[in-house]
């Protein structure tokens, strides 16, 4: 069982991650005032001291704690660390993302260090800090306390000696309507609005004083985003998530690029490197080194990915710095495919490295490059990617169909692959559909796989290969994409197993989402005037043998009409053709 300490934005994000596991957990807050929905979690409210926490953990067999509480809740962090050490329970700290410390800000360690040469101060450090700032009033500093407009906060402010004239209220905006000379902030990270408060204070010409966030216990496993949290929970408590996540080829390429650049510029060869993902969080990724390159082994987790286990290699080298060009040049080598058709982020002839991985690599290498000797020498940084056996592996991917030749593509939008990710599969469909559109074809022919495609291709011999796209089970999503891209004609090829589900309105035909409804099939048979025994049927295709030959066409028309009823609304401006295919390749 997992115990989460929340009450924050990070607590809410932790819940989103843990809900994906479908396993029970506990979510603890001090006040119970956070509005949050739990499906698999159980909420507990109220502060716990060390003794109460130990009792709770023992009674509920807590095997992992997630500290997603406010960064300044120092006592709670220490209590969690103490209990975790006693009970030998690992702790994951869901930390915030913090911008670099601006030297123009006055940084202090605690309230006793607030400068006294301030005439008036706006304190945004929370109602609990009022008593810790009263000493400044004795030294002539006029203080305004910005607090939440809650009865409990106002009452607590009064109890600590604040007057109504000293109170101003946070309204959800970071604009500062005050004549205070200075502002006191906590280093609360991006999710705490720190950067926005600093920007507002700078705009108002205020002096900025910031209290540094307290250090976390060294025993905590630190993450600062949802992907890192999930991967750490998967490592520390493997059974919590039934399926485990993996890394995209883009993340692997980025990790190898960081490792090789560190070796080139600093002579360092760490076993793991920090990789900043597109959402801003940082994860650690294992890397290795060989003569002339660094590498990262692709781990797909439980996602059925043919690229699982491949080695993504990177060689880094100085390059002449082009005028007006990129200081970090990303190049493809052996085993990395080449775009041969339009419709991608880059023109034909470019290495098949998508925009998101390129941006990841540049973002992660930018500081290393800028702090090196290369810019002063007028040199840029070359990053060459290669994948051993990439050309062979690519034959088992969508690449040949997409017009990517000679190897795999380096892809990944989020940097993380969720197991059996619908998002990843639909993203692949979208790429295929864009290529189909870029081929110039007014018609796209969507089908469930190789068998159905083989049959419908014979009807459209004039269409380019790229006009044929597999939808897998995601018929509805594929039709929506066709509508978004503005295809004039869509042909949907479908075999009976998926067709009877689609006819009932099940636009996602995966077996875990939809099942064959025998009652609905019997209703369609009755509608067609067919009376047969279906009690022994386990697969829809068995109907072909049971329906009288002179009734097959009429039944097929009934199924197609029902399918059209659910599909046509998704294509309001497109001509839709639906082809029902039997096992012998007959099309109705």
């Amino acid at each position: 069982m997992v115990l989460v300490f929340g009450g924050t934005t990070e607590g809410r994000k932790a819940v989103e991650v843990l809900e994906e596991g479908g396993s029970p957990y506990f979510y603890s807050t001090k006040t119970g005032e956070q509005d949050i929905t739990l499906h698999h979690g159980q909420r507990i409210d109220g502060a716990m001291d060390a003794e109460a926490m130990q009792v709770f953990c023992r009674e509920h067999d807590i095997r992992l704690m997630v500290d997603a509480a406010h960064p300044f809740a120092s006592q709670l962090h220490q209590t969690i660390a103490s209990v975790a050490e006693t009970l030998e329970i690992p702790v994951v700290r869901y930390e915030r993302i913090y911008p670099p410390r601006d030297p123009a800000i006055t940084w202090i360690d605690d309230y006793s260090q607030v400068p006294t040469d301030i005439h008036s101060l706006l304190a945004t450090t929370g109602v609990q800090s009022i008593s810790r700032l009263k000493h400044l009033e004795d030294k002539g500093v006029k203080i305004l306390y910005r607090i939440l407009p809650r009865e409990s906060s106002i009452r607590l402010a009064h109890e600590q000696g604040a007057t109504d004239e000293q109170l101003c209220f946070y309204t959800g905006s970071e604009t500062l309507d005050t004549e205070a000379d200075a502002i006191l902030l906590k280093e609360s990270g991006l999710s705490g609005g720190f950067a926005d408060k600093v920007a507002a204070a700078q705009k108002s010409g205020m002096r900025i004083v910031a209290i540094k966030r307290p250090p976390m216990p060294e025993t905590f496993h630190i993450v600062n985003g949802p992907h890192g949290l999930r991967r750490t929970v998967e490592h520390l408590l493997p059974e919590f998530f039934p399926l485990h996540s993996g890394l995209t080829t883009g993340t692997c390429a980025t990790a190898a690029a960081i490792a090789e650049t560190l070796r080139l510029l600093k002579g360092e060869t760490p076993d793991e490197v920090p990789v900043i993902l597109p959402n801003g969080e940082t994860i650690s990724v294992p890397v290795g080194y060989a003569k002339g390159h660094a590498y990262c082994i692709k781990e797909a987790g439980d996602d059925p990915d043919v690229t699982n286990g491949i080695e993504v290699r990177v060689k880094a080298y100085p390059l002449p710095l082009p005028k007006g060009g990129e200081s970090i040049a990303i190049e493809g080598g052996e085993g990395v495919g080449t775009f041969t058709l339009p419709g991608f982020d880059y023109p034909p002839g470019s290495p098949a490295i998508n925009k998101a991985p390129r941006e990841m690599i540049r973002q992660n290498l930018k500081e290393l490059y800028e702090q090196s000797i290369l810019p002063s020498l007028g040199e840029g940084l070359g990053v060459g990617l290669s994948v051993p056996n990439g050309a062979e592996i690519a034959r088992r991917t969508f690449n040949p169909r997409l017009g990517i030749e000679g190897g795999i593509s380096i892809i990944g939008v989020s940097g993380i692959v969720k197991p059996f990710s619908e998002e990843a599969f639909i993203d692949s469909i979208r790429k295929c559909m864009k290529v189909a559109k870029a081929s110039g074809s007014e018609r796209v022919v969507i089908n469930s796989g190789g068998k159905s495609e083989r049959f419908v291709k014979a009807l459209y011999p004039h269409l380019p290969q790229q006009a044929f796209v597999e939808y897998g089970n995601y018929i509805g999503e594929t039709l929506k994409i066709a509508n978004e891209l503005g295809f004039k004609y869509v042909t949907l090829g479908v075999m009976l197993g998926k067709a009877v589900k689609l006819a009932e309105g099940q636009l996602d035909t995966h077996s875990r989402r939809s099942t064959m409804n025998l009652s609905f099939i019997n209703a369609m048979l009755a509608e067609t005037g067919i009376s047969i025994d279906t009690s022994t049927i386990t697969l829809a295709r068995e109907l072909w043998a049971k329906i009288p030959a002179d009734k097959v066409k009429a039944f097929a028309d009934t199924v197609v009409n029902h399918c059209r009823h659910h599909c046509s609304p998704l294509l309001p401006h497109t001509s839709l053709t639906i082809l029902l295919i039997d096992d012998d390749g007959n099309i109705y």
Side-chain angles (χ1 to χ4, degrees):
M1 190 75 82
V2 176
L3 171 60
V4 182
F5 295 91
T8 57
T9 299
E10 288 67 39
R12 190 181 300 278
K13 292 177 180 177
V15 163
E16 293 175 0
V17 172
L18 296 181
E19 286 287 334
E20 294 175 355
S23 300
Y25 63 93
F26 292 98
Y27 185 75
S28 171
T29 64
K30 181 179 179 180
T31 64
E33 294 178 323
Q34 185 180 33
D35 182 18
I36 193 166
T37 301
L38 309 177
H39 297 290
H40 302 289
Q42 181 178 332
R43 183 164 185 160
I44 53 174
D45 297 315
M48 286 192 281
D49 59 18
E51 182 178 355
M53 195 180 296
Q54 279 195 40
V55 171
F56 185 90
C57 289
R58 286 194 174 103
E59 288 182 349
H60 296 90
D61 190 28
I62 300 301
R63 299 175 58 197
L64 177 68
M65 289 193 279
V66 177
D67 180 358
H70 195 281
F72 281 79
S74 298
Q75 184 58 57
L76 176 58
H77 303 318
Q78 296 302 325
T79 300
I80 293 171
S82 173
V83 171
E85 183 179 4
T86 300
L87 301 182
E88 297 183 342
I89 299 173
V91 180
V92 183
R93 167 61 186 168
Y94 196 139
E95 192 56 281
R96 298 181 176 185
I97 297 175
Y98 298 94
R101 287 177 178 164
D102 184 346
I105 295 174
T106 300
W107 294 94
I108 61 176
D109 295 313
D110 56 53
Y111 295 96
S112 67
Q113 297 176 356
V114 178
T116 57
D117 60 343
I118 295 172
H119 177 261
S120 56
L121 177 70
L122 174 64
T124 66
T125 47
V127 69
Q128 297 283 359
S129 69
I130 292 176
S131 62
R132 305 171 76 175
L133 293 170
K134 296 298 288 184
H135 70 282
L136 293 173
E137 295 182 27
D138 298 334
K139 297 182 179 180
V141 180
K142 180 183 177 181
I143 306 180
L144 292 174
Y145 300 104
R146 189 176 184 182
I147 65 174
L148 292 172
R150 295 193 300 222
E151 282 188 23
S152 58
S153 298
I154 297 171
R155 183 176 64 254
L156 186 56
H158 288 158
E159 290 173 356
Q160 295 181 79
T163 64
D164 286 336
E165 291 74 22
Q166 287 182 294
L167 300 182
C168 56
F169 300 102
Y170 178 72
T171 59
S173 170
E174 295 300 348
T175 56
L176 300 176
D177 185 15
T178 177
E179 296 181 358
D181 302 324
I183 186 171
L184 178 64
L185 308 172
K186 286 179 176 178
E187 188 183 15
S188 55
L190 295 182
S191 65
F194 181 78
D196 296 330
K197 292 172 185 174
V198 167
Q202 290 173 334
K203 185 177 181 180
S204 299
M206 301 172 73
R207 179 179 178 182
I208 303 171
V209 182
I211 302 176
K212 299 175 186 175
R213 65 186 187 274
M216 288 292 155
E218 294 182 357
T219 55
F220 285 6
H221 300 267
I222 306 294
V223 303
N224 66 351
H227 298 310
L229 175 61
R230 173 162 181 154
R231 288 178 63 77
T232 305
V233 173
E234 289 172 351
H235 174 69
L236 297 173
L237 195 64
E239 64 271 25
F240 187 85
F241 290 98
L243 298 172
H244 290 184
S245 60
L247 303 176
T248 64
T249 49
T251 296
C252 295
T254 302
I258 295 169
E260 180 66 357
T261 302
L262 282 170
R263 180 164 67 171
L264 172 70
L265 300 179
K266 295 187 173 184
E268 299 174 1
T269 55
D271 295 332
E272 291 188 341
V273 294
V275 175
I276 302 172
L277 298 178
N279 69 351
E281 71 171 288
T282 302
I283 63 170
S284 291
V285 179
V287 291
Y289 305 86
K291 186 177 181 180
H293 67 266
Y295 62 87
C296 179
I297 303 298
K298 165 73 179 285
E299 51 150 324
D302 287 315
D303 195 60
D305 189 339
V306 298
T307 63
N308 184 48
I310 66 169
E311 185 178 294
V312 181
R313 296 178 176 177
V314 170
K315 180 177 177 59
Y317 38 87
L319 283 177
L321 189 59
K323 290 184 178 180
E326 292 281 358
S327 56
I328 299 173
I330 300 170
E331 302 175 343
E334 177 189 359
V336 175
T338 300
F339 295 131
T340 64
L341 296 172
F344 292 96
D345 296 330
Y346 300 94
S350 304
I353 306 170
N354 286 357
K355 184 177 181 180
R358 290 179 192 244
E359 291 178 348
M360 272 183 70
I361 292 171
R362 290 194 173 101
Q363 179 191 16
N364 279 271
L365 298 186
K366 183 175 183 289
E367 186 174 341
L368 283 172
Y369 167 75
E370 291 178 346
Q371 293 179 355
S372 74
I373 195 174
L374 295 181
S376 64
L377 297 176
E379 292 182 325
L381 178 66
V383 179
L385 279 57
S386 62
V387 179
N389 302 316
E392 180 182 346
I393 295 166
R395 297 191 190 101
R396 292 177 277 153
T397 71
F398 279 121
N399 281 9
R401 177 183 303 272
L402 292 170
I404 299 173
E405 297 180 357
I408 69 165
S409 46
I410 306 298
I411 60 175
V413 176
S414 69
I416 298 293
V417 177
K418 289 187 178 179
F420 299 93
S421 169
E422 293 183 13
E423 181 183 359
F425 196 94
I426 292 171
D427 187 52
S428 295
I429 294 173
R430 185 178 297 278
K431 287 185 175 67
C432 291
M433 295 287 279
K434 285 183 175 179
V435 171
K437 184 69 175 177
S439 74
S441 175
E442 292 186 323
R443 180 183 298 274
V444 63
V445 182
I446 64 173
N447 52 87
S448 59
K451 187 175 182 179
S452 60
E453 181 178 295
R454 187 170 68 251
F455 295 139
V456 295
K457 261 187 175 179
L459 299 179
Y460 300 99
H462 61 287
L463 292 182
Q465 167 68 29
Q466 290 71 37
F468 298 86
V469 176
E470 292 183 16
Y471 54 70
N473 291 294
Y474 302 104
I475 299 174
E477 292 296 330
T478 306
L479 292 176
K480 291 176 185 176
I481 294 169
N483 181 61
E484 291 171 10
L485 296 177
F487 279 99
K488 189 173 181 179
Y489 305 100
V490 172
T491 296
L492 165 62
V494 62
M495 301 190 79
L496 192 58
K498 295 184 187 298
V500 295
K501 297 178 181 180
L502 181 60
E504 194 180 5
Q506 300 179 50
L507 296 172
D508 176 351
T509 59
H510 195 288
S511 58
R512 72 173 180 271
R513 293 274 180 84
S514 60
T515 57
M516 182 182 73
N517 185 343
L518 203 54
S519 296
F520 182 74
I521 290 174
N522 286 330
M524 286 195 293
L525 289 167
E527 180 182 340
T528 315
I530 299 172
S531 178
I532 58 174
D533 179 14
T534 60
S535 61
T536 60
I537 288 177
T538 57
L539 297 173
R541 65 170 179 258
E542 296 172 39
L543 288 167
W544 293 123
K546 285 182 169 288
I547 297 174
D550 61 337
K551 296 285 188 178
V552 167
K553 176 65 167 60
F555 176 70
D557 289 344
T558 298
V559 174
V560 167
N561 287 337
H562 279 278
C563 291
R564 187 182 305 280
H565 173 74
H566 297 290
C567 294
S568 290
L570 302 180
L571 296 167
H573 308 296
T574 302
S575 173
L576 174 64
T577 300
I578 298 179
L579 304 176
L580 180 60
I581 310 162
D582 69 16
D583 290 348
D584 297 322
N586 298 309
I587 296 177
Y588 302 91

